[in-house]
Amino acid sequence: MAQYIISGGATGIGAATVSALRSAGHEVFVIDLQGGDYQADLADADQREGAIRAVFEVFPDGIDGFVPCAGLGPAARPLSLITKVNYFASVAMTKALLPLLEMKAGAIVLVSSNSASMAGTDQSYVEMLLNDDEDAACRYVQETDGHTAYAGSKQALTRWMRRANTDIAATGIRMNAVAPGITRTLLTDKVLADQALGKAMQDFGDTVPLGHLAEPNEIASVICFLLSRGASFMSGTVVFVDGGHDAMLRPDSF
């Protein structure tokens, strides 16, 4: 039995991942805003630290994996929440839990997005994130829009993963990222219902090459694989689980 930590594990992709891991006999500790084993608003640095302390208290002998699945979509307001949760909380918690992961040569699976690689991402915003300038990034993003906030946060998270991977891999920890396409979750429902974003999201969903949106369990199965020993030689990889969208949009990039 392995021991895993998942943030954002009460709904959507996180909940599907929790269910799959528990069905396989593993222990999963869930951190979420509502529900789970520890409740915390990960946009708040103090509550984030509290969640980290709780993990160290419950699992002093190490953990087998961490999935920072907590995230907000482009319909969330204020936009700075997207910045704080999607990027800064994911990176801060990953860094903080490295000592526990090293004890068991564990695995990290970050949750990116196929929007992270799309053209037109605001590079000024992305650089603020990568430079760890949370205050500046939060101020800047307030003057943009939901897509900019979301896509930029996911691109920065993916680039951070690629940059940090060599040093983390040297400790025996595997770190990879899954990049979902549009998935049927409560987060997606909010975007589809948004007056400004809904039509564009629906139109984009209609172009998925496989002809349908993903279900949470289809993303969760890939996350579980990346956590498993079956992916023992995968490190620093971004796995697109988007029904062929990335290949359609970037046929010559891989």
Side-chain angles (χ1 to χ4, degrees):
M1 179 184 72
Q3 296 170 316
Y4 296 107
I5 311 300
I6 298 185
S7 69
T11 60
I13 294 170
T17 304
V18 171
S19 178
L21 290 171
R22 286 178 174 166
S23 294
H26 302 301
E27 181 179 359
V28 186
F29 186 85
V30 176
I31 301 166
D32 204 281
L33 180 62
Q34 296 179 333
D37 301 292
Y38 187 92
Q39 294 186 23
D41 178 359
L42 298 180
D44 182 282
D46 291 336
Q47 292 191 45
R48 191 187 307 159
E49 288 297 321
I52 292 166
R53 287 194 300 271
V55 174
F56 273 84
E57 290 170 2
V58 177
F59 301 100
D61 298 322
I63 57 177
D64 295 278
F66 173 50
V67 183
C69 198
L72 296 172
R77 296 295 184 273
L79 294 175
S80 57
L81 286 178
I82 301 172
T83 303
K84 292 177 179 180
V85 176
N86 291 11
Y87 182 79
F88 287 104
S90 294
V91 171
M93 294 189 72
T94 298
K95 288 179 176 179
L97 295 180
L98 289 176
L100 295 180
L101 288 157
E102 188 174 353
M103 290 178 187
K104 292 190 173 183
I108 301 161
V109 182
L110 302 179
V111 181
S112 181
S113 166
N114 67 347
S115 67
S117 59
M118 293 178 186
T121 305
D122 188 323
Q123 292 305 302
S124 295
Y125 172 54
V126 171
E127 289 300 326
M128 290 176 195
L129 299 178
L130 290 170
N131 289 333
D132 202 31
D133 196 341
E134 185 169 354
D135 290 340
C138 287
R139 288 194 303 270
Y140 181 87
V141 82
Q142 287 298 113
E143 304 302 320
T144 63
D145 57 79
H147 174 73
T148 297
Y150 180 78
S153 71
K154 294 299 187 179
Q155 183 181 119
L157 182 65
T158 307
R159 289 172 60 181
W160 175 83
M161 184 271 291
R162 298 277 289 178
R163 291 179 179 186
N165 187 71
T166 300
D167 289 340
I168 290 176
T171 70
I173 299 169
R174 294 185 302 104
M175 179 167 62
N176 295 286
V178 63
I182 303 176
T183 307
R184 296 185 188 278
T185 65
L186 292 175
L187 182 153
T188 301
D189 290 343
K190 289 181 180 179
V191 179
L192 289 170
D194 186 87
Q195 187 173 2
L197 300 169
K199 181 62 164 55
M201 174 73 90
Q202 182 64 57
D203 290 345
F204 187 59
D206 290 342
T207 67
V208 176
L210 282 182
H212 62 87
L213 305 186
E215 297 295 337
N217 65 291
E218 294 180 294
I219 313 301
S221 65
V222 179
I223 293 174
C224 291
F225 169 71
L226 291 173
L227 289 171
S228 77
R229 292 301 175 187
S232 61
F233 204 59
M234 294 181 70
S235 180
T237 297
V238 183
V239 181
F240 287 87
V241 191
D242 66 353
H245 247 161
D246 185 65
M248 181 186 79
L249 296 170
R250 302 189 307 146
D252 297 321
S253 299
F254 57 91

